[in-house]
Amino acid sequence: MSAAPATEDRAPIVLTKKTIVLIFSALMAAMFLATLDQTIVSTAMPTIVGELDGVEHQAWLVTIYLLAMTIVMPLYGKFGDMWGRKIIFLVAIAIFVIGSFGSGLSQNFWELIAWRGFQGLGGGGLMILSQAIIADIIPASERGKYMGPLGGLFAISSVLGPVLGGFFTQHLDWRWCFWINVPIGIIAFFIGLFALRLPSHRSDQKVDVLGIVLMIAATSQLILVTSWGGHDYDWDSPVIISLIIGTVVAAVLFVLAESKVSNPIIPIGLFKNPTFVLSTVIGLLLGLGMFSAMAFLPTFMQMAAGTDVTGSGLLMLPMMAGVMLTSIVSGIIVSKTGKYKIYPLAGTLIAGAALAWMTTMTADTSMVVIGLMIFTMGFGLGLVMQIIVLVIQNSVAPQLVGTATSTNNYFREIGASVGTALFGSIFTSRLSDKIAEAMQDLPANAANAAAGAPATDSLTPESAADLPGPVHDLVVNAYADALAPSFWYMVPVFLIAFVLAWFLPQLKLSDVAGMVARGEAVYGEDMGGAARGTADSESHRRLSTISVEGESDPAPGTAAGTFQVAAGVDPAKDQYRLK
């Protein structure tokens, strides 16, 4: 393995409880921003795309944000490992705030899509760096207690987002869905500026420019295939076939390039780690199924069930309750017992069952029943989301925490982007077909009334409510018939994740934080100090080398080979993580 970047010649940071609380507060603010923006447009989306004439392309409003996040995630993780995370973290917040402001000023649909993409470039850094910094300051054996609240924060923002989106759309203007990020982002920036006490590094390693270009090419073309295929273009059209070939070629070249360079963006050696591979695939499947349901469920409630935009957001509260309950409780239990395997098993099975249940929704389904469905979905997701991140971070060397975290999130967001685009394509195609079929069966007088109705591409909840009775019923039933059965396409995704979770190894959780293991920090007296192998700062600045068994010829830049740990730390507690 290539040498870790050198830490600037300065005394190691002392990790006290107060320091950890301050850093964690900054991370919570940043994570809130990133997760809120993934859901705040969901309830406002029908109004936004209707006003800007983009109903047929509405999936892009979510997909472009996820795609931009996906592309930059490995970059933030790698650059954070190379140069330190604080400056990069602040840059990510600034990009996010500028993108939010521009999104709110957009005057047409594709201008909004461009600003959403720019916004996603910052959002990806907020999520990755927050998770990596937690691994830097908190040992894996105690991290569950902190991952739980982060899961709860994700749940709160997932529900608060639709509620705020509905409130702004109904009582103010949908543009506030983006402008709300500006003051919150400025606050998060200054909290990070003063509270984040993190080391910076000097690195003479070259940036993997070729790998970055090939990764962007492969990812972008993949999303275009899933977005356009079967909707804008036939699957056998020259455009789609060309994109599929381009995706495969770029992906193959990317793998070849990463196996040759000395400092790859995504080290191929990570995929020799079975724990990393299984957890990453589970995360990908989770993203594919979860975000598809969350992005379009408020649309169902507004158009099919007749709920207003604020009400459809409030109806997501049961999901928040489910995620908060299980993520916090499971995190605490994992910290106490060190056992984590049961939670991904139970979570994927419960979430899959909830999604199957949701396929039975109709325009007449009780809101109480829908609430129970959503609660069950959240209950399952809360058992998986943060535990998978913990498992990933615990399975790699301390120097690769950021890279491994970002790679796992990269593939999860690939799943989310593909899932949302594919699900959106399926839904809009079914919707157009259902409306066309229903129009043919209308009586003559109703057909005349429908002729003056808004086109499908400009349909909003408000315009649908103003339609004549027979036409309104037609639209409502079309939405119900198009959306709810589409959830069946996502059920097998959770079942596959359930099967993979059976093969997750149960590893011992490390009791040394990443910064301590790398010699960048020492524990303060209130954190155990000398009792945890941190008797004095000088001892932590001396590094010892541990060899990894079974790797005679490790690939450059991978988890194989050797890595550095702080002197005084018991090697037996960390070496298992690389086997």
Side-chain angles (χ1 to χ4, degrees), residues 43 159 162-163 297-298 301-302 305 307-320 366-368 370-372 374-375:
T43 44
V159 176
V163 172
L297 193 56
M301 294 176 179
Q302 290 179 50
T307 308
D308 62 31
V309 287
T310 305
S312 64
L314 291 172
L315 286 173
M316 298 295 287
L317 285 172
M319 178 175 281
M320 177 191 73
S366 165
M367 290 297 105
V368 174
I370 292 178
L372 289 174
I374 299 172
F375 174 82

Side-chain angles (χ1 to χ4, degrees), residues 350-418:
I350 292 171
L355 204 58
W357 189 12
M358 287 163 60
T359 64
T360 65
M361 291 189 301
T362 68
D364 299 323
T365 302
S366 165
M367 290 297 105
V368 174
V369 174
I370 292 178
L372 289 174
M373 294 176 180
I374 299 172
F375 174 82
T376 306
M377 169 66 78
F379 192 95
L381 293 175
L383 292 171
V384 189
M385 293 189 303
Q386 298 303 319
I387 297 298
I388 287 296
V389 177
L390 171 62
V391 172
I392 286 284
Q393 293 175 339
N394 185 64
S395 69
V396 301
Q399 285 76 15
L400 290 176
V401 164
T403 302
T405 302
S406 63
T407 302
N408 171 256
N409 278 268
Y410 170 78
F411 283 101
R412 188 196 69 196
E413 297 300 335
I414 281 285
S417 299
V418 171

